[in-house]
């Protein structure tokens, strides 16, 4: 009897170890290598996120590398414009505060991104001059206005700007003409546009809209330097916490906009003064709308929720999407679609590395989706995966691209999209190039059940329509859709997932259920 019990005990231990091994291996590709909850309980980490300066240790004492960015643009510009004169320069005016019509308030200020890339300056009304011959970078600050000082205090001065920004010289704007006459006689001076240049004598000296200049700017922004990567890492931590806050606070979220408010609130508490784009917060069938904008429907009676939102920090943005069951437990259909999308992301992410073709990874995501929709019966089994792929049927349920570049803009420049591509697989793919080290991009497959897409992309194509079992499809319409989106840094050896908030469905259920076990009075909420 003892021998039998010993054997049972040993067998049980072996089975337990095997389960743990398989569970950990399953989690590895889809969860971060640190525990988000433990990180949030780290006092030093919390202080870093909410402190006034809010700088990670990796950025302390460092300036935004504007001179290096100008020199990078110069090198690329010379390579795409072999006739570029030695006596060339760049002059760009940044954005200004834009008033709102018929009142005395202004739109929120957002710096023009090319200007910021070349300057690191967020001062409205400023401009920069980069002398390509001498590599001298000059910042021009707007003149001090006495009325502005009375209402808003003293603006940044010359000495403070020299200490803050990576420039060689700081002058006020009334010196621009003098510098042009003294330093740029006989120069060809390039700019992006003339929108915020108000001096006609300066306008006449500028070359605006040169396609090769824009090509150089875009290619320079394609890959990120170490400073930019650290900024994006920090922005990603802020976004992780915002998504965790949303999933953890469902008892106080009665409609879609309250979910948006929860995200924005926690972004602001971490000194992210803006989001990178208008957040997408949708529930139930609305999850099938790719860029849903209403964010106003009640959650009552809905099963699924999708939130696509990213915090912006120091002008660099994140872009993360998470889906969860409002009840705390995935329905059978919701979990099947979630697992399909998670598999799409896992398989494509594992193949991210320098030299990989994004086109091929995008096609891989469609092939994975075909496998899952065949398995659950939405695609009729008399059709092979190869035949379904050839007929482009998955474009009905997954019409967008696998991902896009990300940085100063949520859909960052240099992706080389071709929106005229006749192939529906590629028409909306925003990134059409081979991956390179230090690119930052999103991996965001999805699967949607949208009446408009079905009408336009399925019912009008008989060769696609006969593949789909409409009776089974109808059972999934209430879900709306699932998208899982992470922010990825391409590294020398492969990739780094900057996104830390879990996408594991079991972990998500646990977080939601823990949230739902609380009362509204357990949260700091007035209404």
């Amino acid at each position: 009897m003892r021998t039998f019990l010993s054997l049972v005990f040993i067998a049980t231990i072996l089975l337990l170890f095997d389960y743990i091994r398989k569970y950990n291996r399953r989690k590895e590709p889809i969860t971060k290598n640190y525990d988000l909850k433990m990180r949030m309980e780290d006092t030093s980490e919390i202080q870093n996120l909410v402190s006034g300066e809010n700088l990670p240790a990796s950025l302390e004492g460092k300036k935004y590398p504007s001179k290096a960015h100008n020199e990078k643009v110069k090198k690329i510009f010379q390579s795409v414009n072999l006739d570029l004169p030695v006596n060339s320069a760049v002059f760009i005016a940044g954005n200004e505060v834009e008033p709102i019509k018929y009142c005395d308030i202004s739109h929120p200020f957002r710096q023009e991104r090319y200007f910021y890339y070349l300057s690191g300056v967020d001062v409205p009304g400023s401009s920069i001059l980069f002398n390509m011959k001498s590599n001298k970078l000059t910042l021009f600050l707007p003149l001090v206005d006495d009325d502005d000082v009375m209402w808003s205090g003293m603006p940044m001065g010359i000495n403070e700007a020299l200490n803050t920004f990576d420039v060689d010289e700081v002058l006020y704007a009334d010196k621009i003409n003098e510098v042009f006459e003294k330093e740029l006689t006989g120069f060809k001076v390039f700019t992006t546009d003339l929108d915020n240049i108000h001096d006609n004598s300066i306008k006449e000296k500028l070359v605006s809209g040169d396609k090769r200049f824009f090509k150089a700017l875009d290619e320079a922004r394609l890959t990120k330097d170490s400073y930019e990567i650290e900024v994006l890492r920090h922005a990603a931590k802020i976004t992780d916490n915002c998504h965790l806050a949303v999933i953890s606070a469902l008892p106080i979220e009665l409609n879609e906009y309250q979910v948006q408010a929860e995200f924005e609130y926690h972004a602001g508490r971490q000194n992210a003064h803006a989001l990178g784009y208008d957040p997408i917060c949708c529930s139930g069938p609305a999850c099938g709308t790719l860029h849903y904008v209403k964010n106003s429907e009640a959650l009552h009676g809905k099963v699924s929720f999708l939130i696509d939102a990213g915090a912006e920090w120091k002008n660099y943005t994140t872009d993360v999407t998470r889906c969860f069951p409002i009840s705390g437990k995935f329905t059978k259909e919701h979990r099947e679609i979630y697992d399909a999308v998670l598999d799409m992301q896992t398989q494509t992410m594992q193949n991210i590395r320098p030299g990989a073709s994004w086109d091929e990874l995008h096609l891989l995501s469609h092939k994975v989706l075909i496998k899952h929709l065949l398995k659950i019966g939405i695609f009729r089994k008399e059709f092979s995966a190869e035949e379904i792929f050839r007929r482009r049927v998955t474009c009905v349920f997954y019409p967008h691209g696998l991902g896009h570049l990300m940085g100063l803009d949520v859909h960052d420049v240099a992706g080389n999209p071709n929106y005229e591509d006749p192939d529906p697989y590629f028409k909306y793919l925003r990134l059409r190039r081979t991956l390179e080290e230090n690119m930052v991009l999103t991996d965001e497959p999805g699967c949607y059940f949208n009446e408009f897409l079905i009408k336009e992309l399925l019912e009008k194509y008989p060769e696609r329509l006969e593949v789909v079992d409409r009776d089974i499809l109808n059972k999934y319409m209430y879900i709306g859709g699932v998208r899982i989106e992470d922010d990825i840094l391409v590294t020398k050896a492969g990739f780094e997932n900057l996104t830390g908030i879990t996408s594991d469905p079991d972990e998500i259920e646990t977080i939601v259920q823990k949230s739902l076990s609380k009362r509204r009075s357990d949260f700091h909420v007035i209404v």
Side-chain angles (χ1 to χ4, degrees):
M1 185 65 179
R2 289 181 180 177
T3 302
F4 173 78
L5 290 175
S6 297
L7 290 172
V8 170
F9 177 78
I10 293 171
T12 302
I13 293 297
L14 290 173
L15 285 171
L16 179 61
F17 275 118
D18 186 62
Y19 173 82
I20 293 171
R21 178 179 60 82
K22 289 179 179 178
Y23 180 76
N24 287 335
R25 187 172 66 229
R26 180 176 63 84
K27 283 180 59 180
E28 186 176 348
I30 58 171
T31 57
K32 195 71 173 178
N33 290 327
Y34 60 83
D35 188 313
L36 189 62
K37 181 176 181 295
M38 289 179 63
R39 181 168 62 77
M40 283 306 296
E41 291 174 351
D42 185 335
T43 304
S44 62
E45 181 74 16
I46 295 173
Q47 289 298 324
N48 182 47
L49 284 168
V50 302
S51 64
E53 182 58 23
N54 196 21
L55 280 179
S58 57
L59 293 178
E60 288 182 1
K62 296 181 180 179
K63 295 181 179 181
Y64 185 88
S66 50
K67 286 203 68 177
H69 288 181
N70 279 272
E71 291 169 11
K72 186 178 182 182
V73 170
K74 170 187 169 180
K75 183 178 180 180
I76 298 172
F77 196 16
Q78 288 172 332
S79 71
V80 299
N81 184 3
L82 299 179
D83 299 325
L84 185 69
V86 174
N87 289 350
S88 294
V90 172
F91 179 80
I92 299 181
N95 277 348
E96 301 170 350
V97 173
E98 182 182 351
I100 296 175
K101 274 187 177 182
Y102 311 124
C103 65
D104 60 354
I105 60 174
S106 303
H107 292 285
F109 178 74
R110 186 180 192 271
Q111 188 58 280
E112 196 278 309
R113 279 356 198 193
Y114 289 120
F115 176 84
Y116 188 85
Y117 181 75
L118 296 177
S119 69
V121 176
D122 238 348
V123 179
S126 52
S127 54
I128 55 164
L129 172 66
F130 179 64
N131 187 320
M132 290 189 184
K133 185 176 182 180
S134 64
N135 285 348
K136 179 183 177 183
L137 183 60
T138 303
L139 167 64
F140 296 98
L141 294 175
L143 295 173
V144 177
D145 184 281
D146 291 343
D147 286 344
D148 286 344
V149 173
M150 180 177 72
W151 294 107
S152 305
M154 283 295 294
M156 179 179 288
I158 287 177
N159 290 333
E160 184 182 357
L162 271 172
N163 291 328
T164 302
F165 305 118
D166 180 27
V167 297
D168 298 303
E169 181 180 41
V170 181
L171 301 169
Y172 284 113
D174 60 353
K175 299 294 184 182
I176 293 176
N177 271 298
E178 180 181 323
V179 170
F180 265 70
E181 293 297 326
K182 182 179 178 180
E183 299 182 15
L184 299 180
T185 300
F187 271 63
K188 192 170 186 179
V189 186
F190 295 87
T191 191
T192 49
D193 58 61
L194 305 175
D195 290 354
N196 294 318
I197 299 171
H198 307 293
D199 188 328
N200 287 330
S201 66
I202 295 297
K203 285 184 179 181
E204 294 170 356
K205 299 173 183 177
L206 301 177
V207 178
S208 65
D210 185 283
K211 291 183 179 180
R212 291 170 296 184
F213 179 49
F214 273 101
K215 175 75 171 178
L217 287 167
D218 291 350
E219 289 297 308
R221 286 172 57 179
L222 174 66
T223 55
K224 275 53 178 178
D225 56 40
S226 59
Y227 188 101
E228 294 175 289
I229 290 169
E230 288 304 311
V231 170
L232 284 163
R233 281 198 182 106
H234 191 72
K237 288 183 180 181
I238 294 172
T239 297
D240 286 344
N241 296 330
C242 293
H243 277 281
L244 180 61
V246 163
I247 307 174
S248 300
L250 283 182
I252 60 173
E253 318 302 2
L254 302 180
N255 60 46
E256 294 163 348
Y257 190 76
Q258 289 184 346
V259 174
Q260 176 178 337
E262 191 75 28
F263 190 97
E264 291 177 338
Y265 168 73
H266 283 87
R269 282 182 61 85
Q270 298 172 84
N271 288 311
H273 298 162
L275 302 188
Y277 53 96
D278 290 336
I280 300 163
C281 299
C282 43
S283 56
C287 297
T289 302
L290 305 185
H291 282 176
Y292 180 75
V293 295
K294 288 177 65 177
N295 292 6
S296 61
E297 297 296 319
L299 303 191
H300 180 72
K302 311 288 181 54
V303 167
S304 54
F305 200 94
L306 182 154
I307 174 170
D308 183 337
E312 177 183 295
W313 187 69
K314 291 192 176 296
N315 291 305
Y316 284 80
T317 187
T318 52
D319 185 5
V320 174
T321 305
R322 286 295 181 266
C323 298
F324 54 87
I326 295 173
S327 70
K329 185 69 177 176
F330 283 99
T331 64
K332 172 182 175 294
E333 293 83 9
H334 195 191
R335 179 61 182 262
E336 286 173 341
I337 300 304
Y338 191 95
D339 286 344
V341 175
L342 188 58
D343 193 18
M344 294 162 72
Q345 192 198 48
T346 300
Q347 292 201 40
T348 53
M349 197 181 298
Q350 288 173 340
N351 285 280
I352 291 176
R353 62 180 61 87
S357 164
W358 195 246
D359 280 16
E360 291 300 317
L361 294 185
H362 174 67
L363 292 178
L364 172 61
S365 66
H366 275 275
K367 292 174 182 177
V368 175
L369 181 58
I370 289 171
K371 179 188 71 173
H372 283 272
L373 296 187
L374 271 170
K375 180 180 178 181
I376 65 180
I378 290 178
F379 290 164
R380 298 181 187 277
K381 291 181 171 53
E382 56 263 36
F383 294 93
S384 68
E386 293 77 14
E387 179 63 20
I388 296 170
F389 180 80
R390 187 184 65 78
R391 297 189 186 194
R392 274 52 177 171
V393 192
T394 43
C395 293
V396 178
F397 307 100
Y398 173 33
H400 63 76
L402 176 62
H404 52 79
L405 295 170
M406 191 189 74
L408 284 169
D409 288 308
V410 65
H411 298 150
D412 216 2
V413 295
N416 294 342
N418 177 13
Y419 300 123
E420 302 303 318
D421 195 320
D423 190 335
Y425 276 143
F426 299 113
K427 184 174 182 179
Y428 299 110
L429 184 57
R430 290 188 170 97
L431 176 55
R432 301 292 302 274
R433 57 192 305 165
T434 299
L435 300 187
E436 299 178 30
E437 183 180 357
N438 294 332
M439 280 184 177
V440 177
L441 49 88
T442 65
D443 189 331
E444 51 173 309
C447 180
Y448 311 89
F449 303 97
N450 179 301
E451 295 284 2
F452 174 81
L453 295 176
I454 290 170
K455 180 179 179 181
E456 295 297 317
L457 300 180
L458 182 65
E459 293 178 354
K460 293 182 179 181
Y461 295 83
E463 73 278 11
R464 298 177 187 173
L465 185 59
E466 66 177 342
V467 171
V468 175
D469 187 322
R470 294 299 294 269
D471 290 334
I472 295 181
L473 171 60
N474 289 338
K475 297 177 182 179
Y476 291 80
M477 295 300 295
Y478 73 93
I479 297 168
V482 170
R483 180 168 62 253
I484 304 172
E485 178 179 19
D486 286 7
D487 301 334
I488 308 299
L489 168 67
V490 182
T491 65
K492 185 176 182 179
F495 71 92
E496 175 188 343
N497 188 351
L498 303 178
T499 303
I501 180 64
T502 184
S503 57
D504 182 279
D506 297 326
E507 292 178 0
I508 288 173
E509 284 185 337
T510 299
I511 297 170
V512 174
Q513 289 168 14
K514 184 178 179 181
S515 164
L516 294 174
S517 69
K518 300 178 182 179
R519 301 164 299 174
R520 284 180 62 83
S521 58
D522 291 329
F523 295 84
H524 177 67
V525 60
I526 304 300
V527 294

